[in-house]
């Protein structure tokens, strides 16, 4: 049984549960270090995650929305929402009305003045009837939370729309649909229609914390704080989100790729001496490196995920296709490591999360295509490395001088890359 990744088969059971948990633990431990302010010239955890994982910004928003809608705070809020809306927080006002029908307490001093100004009409009264007001800061926070949750639920449902019958995400669909259904049903409550949604500020949070209603104090307050935090997630929150909602077991190849990318980054950071780090996970996109290091001799090493490094050369595929008037699609290796400067060199890596020889063979064919497509990037000895989990599907062997292809395990690739590029 296999799933498809970019048209290339990926073995769905390449990793045992223990393998998966070990990879998850490694990424959970090391990814926050690369998202920290000290690791970047510009601290942008969301942009950094997009660069490392290759996630489109909208896809990342969907992952965050899914994690949000499935959180304990949202589940508790949704569970208590129907009952909570039946006992809303409200305030009252007593506007002055001049009338001949007494409905409400009479303001006698105002009544005397009103009669004096109208020819001493004894039928005039000034009354102050009480009116309930639902448009309070607490209820504006409820309306804002409902609006945010409706958007998040719709976004999250798009993420899981293509989930297979045995996929992890399929179990989330019912819970996400319940969030959306409950929120939309809440908008039918008559008094809520009078309320204008408003993003809660510090004063509103204080009012929620001080109210006697457990619904507002506990559930509304908690879900509001959760929603606010999701708008500017911390590095730790993003890592938690990715580990729980993106690196799902049936898509372990995602986790494998990020694990290898982090191993390479750590190895080159160590080789460069740490402080010579020039850039790390600063919103990498396309040809931008997700990590860049300054070596002792002044050369630079760039790590690019899901793309080619920026270089003056052109793709042979694009040149031929343009000549014949068609679009050939993108040539996109999994990882590229490039050294620029006096000792320029380049390695292109194809990652295969598999223990199947046939899939490994397909990876070698891809590498040959990459090496030919961008021959301008490589020196006299091109390097196309196939990286896979260590297994019986292949045996370890030293690279053959002059041969551009090599198969290396994920456990050895980082040290081999450092040695190849002379960064050690």
């Amino acid at each position: 049984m296999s799933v498809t990744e970019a048209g290339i088969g990926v073995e769905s059971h390449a990793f045992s549960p223990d393998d998966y948990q070990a990879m998850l633990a490694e990424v959970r431990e090391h990814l926050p270090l690369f998202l920290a302010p000290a690791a970047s010239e510009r601290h942008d955890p969301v942009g950094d995650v997009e660069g490392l994982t290759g996630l489109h910004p909208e896809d990342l928003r969907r992952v965050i929305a899914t994690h949000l809608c499935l959180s304990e705070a949202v589940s508790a809020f949704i569970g208590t929402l129907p009952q909570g809306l039946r006992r809303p927080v409200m305030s009252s006002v007593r506007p002055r009305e001049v009338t001949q029908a007494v409905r409400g307490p009479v303001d006698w001093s105002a009544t005397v003045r009103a009669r004096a100004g109208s020819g001493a009409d004894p039928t005039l009264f000034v009354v102050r009837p009480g009116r309930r007001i639902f448009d309070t800061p607490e209820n504006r926070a409820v309306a804002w939370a409902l609006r945010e949750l409706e958007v998040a639920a719709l976004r999250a449902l798009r993420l899981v729309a293509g989930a297979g019958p045995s996929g992890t995400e399929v179990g989330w669909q019912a819970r996400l649909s319940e969030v959306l259904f409950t929120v939309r049903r809440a908008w039918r409550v008559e008094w809520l229609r009078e309320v204008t949604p408003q993003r809660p500020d510090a004063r509103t949070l204080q009012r929620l914390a001080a109210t006697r209603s457990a619904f507002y104090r506990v559930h509304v307050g908690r879900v509001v704080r959760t929603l606010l935090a999701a708008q500017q997630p911390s590095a730790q929150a993003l890592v938690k989100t990715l580990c729980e909602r993106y690196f799902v077991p049936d898509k372990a190849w995602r986790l494998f790729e990020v694990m290898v990318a982090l191993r390479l980054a750590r190895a080159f950071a160590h080789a460069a001496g740490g402080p010579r780090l020039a850039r790390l996970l600063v919103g990498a996109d396309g040809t931008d490196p997700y990590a860049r290091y300054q070596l002792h001799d002044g050369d630079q090493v760039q790590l690019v995920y899901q793309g080619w490094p920026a270089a003056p050369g052109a793709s042979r595929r694009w040149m031929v296709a343009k000549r014949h008037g068609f679009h050939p699609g993108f040539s996109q290796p999994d990882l590229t490591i490039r050294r620029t400067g006096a000792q320029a060199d380049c390695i292109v890596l194809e990652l295969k999360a598999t223990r199947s020889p046939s899939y490994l063979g397909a990876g070698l064919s891809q590498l040959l295509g990459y090496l030919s497509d961008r021959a301008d990037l490589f020196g006299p000895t091109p390097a196309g490395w196939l990286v896979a989990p260590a297994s019986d599907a292949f045996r370890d062997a030293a690279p053959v001088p002059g041969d551009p292809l090599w198969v290396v395990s994920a456990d050895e690739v980082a040290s081999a890359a450092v040695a190849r590029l002379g960064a050690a």
Side-chain angles (χ1 to χ4, degrees):
M1 180 179 178
S2 65
V3 294
T4 300
E5 174 207 355
I8 303 298
V10 177
E11 191 179 13
S12 61
H13 300 295
F15 301 101
S16 69
D18 288 343
D19 293 334
Y20 173 79
Q21 290 299 328
M23 290 193 299
L24 194 63
E26 182 174 341
V27 170
R28 188 184 291 117
E29 177 184 359
H30 294 289
L31 184 54
L33 302 178
F34 291 97
L35 302 179
S40 302
E41 296 171 351
R42 175 176 55 84
H43 186 46
D44 178 19
V46 172
D48 296 345
V49 164
E50 292 170 4
L52 178 64
T53 60
L55 269 171
H56 186 276
E58 177 58 26
D59 291 331
L60 180 56
R61 284 192 286 270
R62 289 175 182 175
V63 172
I64 293 173
T66 302
H67 190 70
L68 175 68
C69 289
L70 298 179
S71 67
E72 183 182 349
V74 171
S75 296
F77 173 73
I78 291 298
T80 58
L81 182 61
Q83 182 178 358
L85 294 180
R86 286 196 287 268
R87 297 179 179 179
V89 166
M90 65 186 80
S91 62
S92 63
V93 294
R94 293 186 176 277
R96 189 178 69 172
E97 293 182 5
V98 178
T99 179
Q100 291 179 324
V102 178
R103 296 187 181 93
V106 177
D107 185 337
W108 287 108
S109 60
T111 296
V112 171
R113 291 193 297 270
R115 289 177 178 179
S118 60
D121 184 353
T123 65
L124 288 183
F125 293 90
V126 176
V127 297
R128 294 184 180 273
R131 291 185 179 177
R132 295 183 299 177
I133 301 298
F134 295 99
D135 195 12
T136 65
E138 295 88 344
N139 289 328
R140 291 173 195 160
V142 171
W144 177 83
L146 291 174
R147 185 184 64 185
E148 294 295 310
L149 284 176
E150 184 171 7
V151 172
L154 287 169
R155 185 171 280 157
L157 283 167
R158 294 189 189 102
L159 178 73
V160 302
S166 60
T168 304
E169 296 102 322
V170 74
W172 302 340
Q173 288 177 329
R175 294 170 61 189
L176 294 173
S177 297
E178 182 185 1
V179 171
L180 182 61
F181 174 77
T182 304
V183 168
R184 287 183 167 174
R185 186 172 56 185
W187 287 122
R188 302 174 189 171
V189 175
E190 185 175 354
W191 69 260
L192 192 57
R193 298 174 186 172
E194 304 175 13
V195 178
T196 302
Q198 185 176 53
R199 188 178 191 273
D201 55 17
R203 186 173 182 179
T204 300
L205 291 175
Q206 291 175 350
R207 288 176 65 105
L208 287 170
T211 184
R212 293 181 179 179
S213 167
F215 170 69
Y216 286 87
R217 186 178 67 255
V218 178
H219 300 294
V220 177
R222 188 180 178 194
V223 81
V224 161
R225 290 191 295 272
T226 301
L227 288 164
L228 291 172
Q231 293 182 344
Q232 290 184 318
S234 65
Q236 290 75 14
L238 275 174
V239 171
K240 177 179 174 63
T241 298
L242 290 172
C243 288
E244 294 187 15
R245 309 298 177 197
Y246 184 66
F247 300 131
V248 292
D250 50 298
K251 293 183 177 63
W253 55 267
R254 293 173 172 171
L255 185 61
F256 177 73
E257 290 186 353
V258 172
M259 180 190 71
V260 172
L262 289 174
R263 285 180 178 179
L264 288 165
R266 297 202 308 274
F268 279 101
H270 179 74
R276 290 178 174 78
L277 170 66
R279 183 176 192 259
L280 178 60
L281 300 179
V282 189
D285 180 26
T287 60
D288 289 337
Y290 71 86
R292 189 172 66 207
Y293 305 96
Q294 199 76 26
L295 301 181
H296 296 270
D297 61 2
D299 282 9
Q300 191 177 95
V301 170
Q302 301 174 357
L303 309 182
V304 179
Y305 179 69
Q306 293 291 331
W308 291 106
S315 163
R316 290 181 177 178
R317 295 169 63 257
W318 273 92
M319 292 172 63
V320 172
K322 183 178 180 180
R323 187 163 64 243
H324 291 277
F326 68 91
H327 191 294
F330 293 101
S331 170
Q332 185 171 280
D334 290 327
L335 280 163
T336 309
I337 310 173
R338 188 185 185 205
R339 176 169 178 160
T340 60
Q343 302 181 53
D345 198 356
C346 188
I347 309 171
V348 60
L349 305 179
E350 181 63 23
L351 277 56
K352 290 298 178 191
T354 181
R355 290 184 168 89
S356 168
S358 62
Y359 294 156
L360 294 177
L364 292 175
S365 298
Q366 287 178 280
L367 284 169
L368 286 172
Y370 295 145
L371 295 175
S372 176
D373 188 29
R374 291 299 304 272
D376 59 292
L377 289 174
F378 303 97
T381 307
W385 293 1
L386 181 65
V387 183
S391 73
D392 294 336
F394 69 95
R395 63 173 180 267
D396 293 333
V400 176
D403 192 329
L405 297 182
W406 185 40
V407 181
V408 59
S409 77
D411 296 333
E412 305 294 335
V413 65
S415 58
V418 170
R420 158 84 187 207
L421 295 183

